[in-house]
Amino acid sequence: MLTLHRASVLLPDPAAPSITDGAVLVDGAAVLAFGPYASVPAGGARVREWDGLLTPGLLNPHGHWLLECAYHPDPREDLGTEPLMLAADGERRGGSARRGLQRMLGYGTTAVAGPFELPVVRTAVARSGLHALPGDGTAGGLDPLAATGLRGAVHRPLTVGGRADFAVFDAASAAELERAGAGGCLATVLGGRLLYRRR
């Protein structure tokens, strides 16, 4: 199924200029075309319109700490929504990891760095569809932009034929996004599937 994602601003690669009124055409899990909206053939595609900045998906380098050390409370626990230092094992650790991965999607994350040593965390990461990459296990927060800025946080630029992994942010430019942080994520698409949308 073809889906056309139209955005106020498209930034397919943070090292390249942005495109005003841009679009990404997705076929299944792959990018079929991208560029100015007027030049991308929609051809019966379902159209999603986004009022914001569409960028490649982001890499969170703190996956090990966020998923294996920190605890993501269940809303029913009345412990807030921020990651905590709280001992958890087995099923409770697995639930925390699943909630942590969902929260990462809310920051435009499409790839996460390990290492992932706990079986319940490895399973949660594999089932999430996020790309698991090697890492050094450093501590840090949910916002991938906090340490490196957009250039350092992009997992990989959008390419024709490449995976349709991208995010849309409530920002008008890369500079505005870096100032505001990734918490203004409107939507995250992973392998062509809309896995997060801000309500």
Side-chain angles (χ1 to χ4, degrees):
M1 173 183 227
L2 293 176
T3 305
L4 183 78
H5 293 266
R6 182 181 186 181
S8 304
V9 181
L10 168 64
L11 185 65
D13 182 339
S18 60
I19 301 166
T20 302
D21 192 16
V24 178
L25 182 62
V26 175
D27 184 8
V31 174
L32 196 59
F34 64 83
Y37 172 71
S39 71
V40 177
R46 174 179 49 178
V47 178
R48 292 190 185 272
E49 301 216 6
W50 305 105
D51 185 19
L53 173 68
L54 190 152
T55 73
L58 306 180
L59 164 66
N60 189 308
H62 310 299
H64 170 80
W65 186 85
L66 284 166
L67 301 177
E68 295 199 350
C69 301
Y71 179 74
H72 298 270
D74 185 305
R76 297 169 293 187
E77 294 177 297
D78 197 28
L79 294 172
T81 59
E82 294 302 310
L84 308 169
M85 292 308 298
L86 185 68
D89 57 8
E91 188 176 317
R92 195 168 188 212
R93 174 57 60 192
S96 170
R98 289 187 295 277
R99 289 187 296 276
L101 290 161
Q102 280 299 312
R103 290 177 179 146
M104 286 181 188
L105 287 168
Y107 283 81
T109 299
T110 58
V112 61
F116 302 114
E117 297 159 351
L118 300 175
V120 292
V121 173
R122 282 198 304 268
T123 299
V125 172
R127 288 182 178 168
S128 74
L130 272 76
H131 302 277
L133 303 174
D136 59 13
T138 58
L142 289 166
D143 188 345
L145 300 175
T148 63
L150 187 57
R151 278 191 188 210
V154 163
H155 174 219
R156 58 179 165 224
L158 294 179
T159 57
V160 172
R163 273 183 56 100
D165 295 341
F166 53 87
V168 184
F169 297 94
D170 185 14
S173 67
E176 184 180 324
L177 172 59
E178 289 180 330
R179 280 192 305 275
C185 183
L186 302 173
T188 303
V189 173
L190 186 60
R193 295 172 49 221
L194 180 63
L195 293 188
Y196 170 81
R197 182 173 192 165
R198 189 199 294 175
R199 293 190 174 111

